[in-house]
Amino acid sequence: MTHGRGPGRRSIPNLLGEAALTSSRVAGVDGESIPLMPDVHVLKIGGQSILDRGRKAVYPLIEEIVALKDRFQLLLGAGGGTRARHAYELALDLGLPTGVLAALGGFVPRQNARILQMLLARHGGIFILHDDFEKLPLYFRLGCVPIMTGMPPFSYWEKPGEVGRIPPNRTDAGVFLSAEVLGAGRAIFVKDERGLYTADPKKDRGARFIPRIHVDELVAMNLDDLVVERVVLEYLRHARHTREIQIVNGLEPGNLTAAVEGKDVGTIIHA
């Protein structure tokens, strides 16, 4: 209290008040991170691997999702696929920066998410924007299947990658980060391959299948071809809740169901 000078300035004691947020000392004030919705199963539906294949690939997967929705809370993230790659190629040829590529590449997975929503509409499928993320508890209580673009909302603020101008954070990264903030223990990626191989099995017949591997071991292998975006491996190393990612072949009936039920089909990459 001051004397005749009006109310004094109040100070709120806090551990960060005297430290720069760039200081290594901030690690000492890190507290517990609670899982917000750990029972949610976060699924990435591949763009090029699943959606671009059309009816023969998508419809059986829709049937599995419908059969699972009443037993599990499912959040779907859509990939971009070939059309997104075409947009990247054009933008690269025109000399556009990484942030613009990220903005352009974000439109296609949004279109794919809307396609999934229409196919699941009569079963409770609902398209959500990033701003609707906090409404997930309501959607699940109503029995909905929320569907969103897998692309994280970095857009023009996308971080430049170590090599080239292709955005390092694409739909795999967005789905993984969604799983982490919800507190899901595992993120499931639905692709068109059995899982992780030592090389691209479509091009190399000698590629060896890897059913389970620690993320540090996988990074040390420095494989030329990966079934998920490389940045996801870095996020997996530092994640608090999502300590595993699972890659399954969505073209084989029953694989998605087995993965959601917690079975170790496909490949498990763990931290």
Side-chain angles (χ1 to χ4, degrees):
M1 180 175 180
T2 59
H3 299 282
R5 297 182 182 177
R9 178 175 295 176
R10 294 183 179 273
S11 176
I12 302 175
N14 67 88
L15 295 174
L16 294 176
E18 301 299 326
L21 296 181
T22 54
S23 169
S24 61
R25 287 181 294 167
V26 300
V29 298
D30 188 20
E32 179 186 2
S33 175
I34 63 169
L36 300 178
M37 301 183 69
D39 294 330
V40 175
H41 295 264
V42 183
L43 316 176
K44 156 75 185 293
I45 309 299
Q48 190 173 54
S49 53
I50 300 296
L51 293 164
D52 284 354
R53 295 176 183 270
R55 188 187 194 102
K56 64 180 181 181
V58 175
Y59 272 41
L61 212 56
I62 292 294
E63 292 177 2
E64 285 196 60
I65 292 170
V66 171
L68 288 166
K69 65 175 284 293
D70 291 333
R71 293 193 291 138
F72 301 97
Q73 296 177 342
L74 306 177
L75 171 63
L76 309 186
T82 303
R83 303 193 313 282
R85 286 163 171 78
H86 183 56
Y88 290 142
E89 184 176 353
L90 287 174
L92 286 169
D93 184 57
L94 294 170
L96 297 176
T98 295
V100 176
L101 266 71
L104 292 173
F107 289 112
V108 179
R110 186 179 300 180
Q111 293 169 355
N112 285 339
R114 290 187 180 277
I115 289 173
L116 286 173
Q117 185 273 322
M118 293 299 176
L119 293 174
L120 285 164
R122 60 195 178 105
H123 304 289
I126 182 170
F127 173 76
I128 68 171
L129 298 170
H130 291 117
D131 288 344
D132 297 324
F133 197 75
E134 67 269 23
K135 299 175 185 174
L136 284 175
L138 172 62
Y139 295 143
F140 287 129
R141 186 176 289 271
L142 294 173
C144 298
V145 181
I147 305 152
M148 61 190 295
T149 171
M151 199 74 172
F154 298 152
S155 189
Y156 296 119
W157 296 271
E158 171 62 71
K159 297 174 287 296
E162 294 183 7
V163 179
R165 281 178 284 135
I166 297 293
N169 292 284
R170 301 186 300 280
T171 52
D172 286 350
V175 168
F176 180 86
L177 293 173
S178 298
E180 169 65 10
V181 75
L182 290 174
R186 176 185 289 183
I188 301 172
F189 295 86
V190 184
K191 307 275 187 175
D192 62 351
E193 293 292 349
R194 182 183 176 190
L196 175 68
Y197 286 80
T198 53
D200 185 348
K202 295 184 179 70
K203 303 173 183 176
D204 186 351
R205 288 189 175 184
R208 178 173 57 85
F209 175 67
I210 303 174
R212 187 175 184 90
I213 190 170
H214 192 281
V215 63
D216 290 342
E217 182 183 352
L218 177 56
V219 171
M221 291 173 69
N222 193 28
L223 297 178
D224 183 60
D225 186 86
L226 281 177
V227 72
V228 294
E229 296 159 17
R230 294 182 188 274
V231 72
V232 173
L233 303 183
E234 292 303 315
Y235 292 153
L236 179 60
R237 283 172 138 177
H238 303 297
R240 301 297 181 85
H241 303 293
T242 307
R243 306 295 290 166
E244 293 183 343
I245 62 175
Q246 183 173 16
I247 301 102
V248 298
N249 188 346
L251 301 179
E252 294 183 0
N255 274 349
L256 175 61
T257 299
V260 172
E261 291 177 343
K263 300 173 183 176
D264 289 350
V265 295
T267 291
I268 304 293
I269 305 173
H270 60 97

